Amino acid sequence: MTDTALQSAPSTPARGYWATVGRRLRRDKVAMACALILLLIFVSALVAPWLGLADPYQGSMIRRLKPIGTPNYLLGTDELGRDMLARLVYGGRLSLLIGILPVVLAFGIGTSLGLVAGYVGGKLNTAIMRTVDVFYAFPSVLLAIAISGALGAGITNSIVSLTVVFVPQITRVAESVTTGVRNMDFVEAARASGAGAFTIMRVHMLGNVLGPIFVYATGLISVSMILAAGLSFLGLGTKPPEPEWGLMLNTLRTAIYVNPWVAALPGAMIFAVSICFNLLSDGMRSAMDIRN
């Protein structure tokens, strides 16, 4: 080709890393389907007061345990005659809050601790990581129950207990990723230019370690949803009469032999949200794997 032809040829802009990740994620049909389902659940929970649903707190012993498909009660009623559809939609607010907020808080705390431990190393790394290892002596479920039992029942205490459970896990992942990045050329160049430790961690390292930690934290949301529901089921989370999926499972367990399909609805919602977060996390992990 002549120089004139080369100059007139249209230039194709190079696609960045995150643009490539987004393109690959959009091609994952399973991940996109899960994201759509989660979006619908989120939106329905947020706009629940404007959906024209029945009062989730108003019950009637006359219409208790109506089956699915009953006129005016699409998903039946619970043991106190309250509309199940309304309680499931409104219950998504508390269930999603208690399931997602602890992971968000643990993500911020664990990433900060892991970044400092991985970059500084030495005695500070030993102090942080050995403290984190103490929490691994206890299973997550038992640790969450113990902390919630000590603090008492309530939404705030459930969030605190789950945050404590997830901080060590995210800290360990963040420390491992940071250790593999701290000796790379761009970090050494930043040190040679006179940048301080805080500037290197905030500007140069955080963006390179945030992706794997974020993907791991996304996968923890499914675990958090199940643990939060378990705490409410045991009476250590949300208190009646608040609609929350774990608490609804607890109150409906006595009706499982009378109307099992209605009693299984809160469990089906917990399962659907947990599996969607899990599959979405797998899709993000695959999209960010540049080796493929």
Side-chain angles (χ1 to χ4, degrees):
M1 297 178 64
T2 63
D3 293 340
T4 305
L6 288 174
Q7 292 175 2
S8 61
S11 59
T12 304
R15 182 181 286 113
Y17 171 73
W18 290 110
T20 303
V21 171
R23 179 176 58 87
R24 296 176 63 181
L25 186 61
R26 288 191 297 270
R27 290 182 176 179
D28 190 337
K29 296 181 180 180
V30 175
M32 288 295 97
C34 291
L36 179 60
I37 294 173
L38 292 174
L39 180 63
L40 291 175
I41 295 175
F42 271 96
V43 172
S44 63
L46 288 175
V47 302
W50 297 278
L51 294 180
L53 300 173
D55 187 351
Y57 300 99
Q58 184 177 4
S60 173
M61 298 306 293
I62 300 176
R63 59 172 186 263
R64 62 189 301 269
L65 294 177
K66 293 291 185 181
I68 296 176
T70 301
N72 299 326
Y73 301 100
L74 183 62
L75 296 181
T77 58
D78 65 1
E79 76 286 354
L80 295 179
R82 296 171 295 194
D83 184 38
M84 280 296 295
L85 177 60
R87 288 187 65 80
L88 287 174
V89 173
Y90 278 91
R93 291 181 159 190
L94 285 177
S95 298
L96 293 172
L97 174 66
I98 303 175
I100 296 176
L101 186 57
V103 178
V104 174
L105 296 176
F107 176 78
I109 299 172
T111 300
S112 302
L113 291 175
L115 191 64
V116 172
Y119 178 76
V120 177
K123 293 182 179 180
L124 183 59
N125 180 291
T126 301
I128 294 176
M129 298 313 297
R130 295 298 77 78
T131 303
V132 165
D133 289 341
V134 172
F135 291 90
Y136 281 94
F138 307 95
S140 300
V141 178
L142 295 181
L143 183 60
I145 292 174
I147 297 174
S148 294
L151 297 177
I155 298 175
T156 303
N157 293 337
S158 297
I159 294 174
V160 171
S161 63
L162 292 176
T163 301
V164 174
V165 169
F166 293 128
V167 164
Q169 303 179 30
I170 296 179
T171 301
R172 173 171 285 187
V173 174
E175 189 271 341
S176 176
V177 177
T178 304
T179 301
V181 172
R182 69 179 178 182
N183 293 323
M184 289 187 173
D185 293 340
F186 67 90
V187 179
E188 296 293 341
R191 289 197 192 100
S193 66
F198 178 75
T199 302
I200 294 175
M201 287 188 290
R202 180 177 60 87
V203 177
H204 301 282
M205 297 186 66
L206 184 60
N208 290 276
V209 303
L210 206 57
I213 304 172
F214 178 76
V215 172
Y216 179 78
T218 305
L220 287 180
I221 295 178
S222 60
V223 181
S224 181
M225 292 290 300
I226 296 174
L227 290 179
L231 291 178
S232 296
F233 183 85
L234 295 174
L236 297 174
T238 311
K239 299 179 181 179
E242 294 295 333
E244 197 273 335
W245 296 338
L247 182 61
M248 292 169 66
L249 273 178
N250 183 20
T251 57
L252 283 168
R253 73 182 191 277
T254 56
I256 193 170
Y257 298 106
V258 180
N259 199 337
W261 294 109
V262 172
L265 287 175
M269 292 298 298
I270 297 171
F271 173 79
V273 173
S274 299
I275 199 67
C276 284
F277 272 116
N278 204 357
L279 293 175
L280 181 60
S281 176
D282 289 342
M284 293 174 61
R285 185 179 295 108
S286 300
M288 295 178 66
D289 189 0
I290 59 175
R291 292 174 298 178
N292 294 329

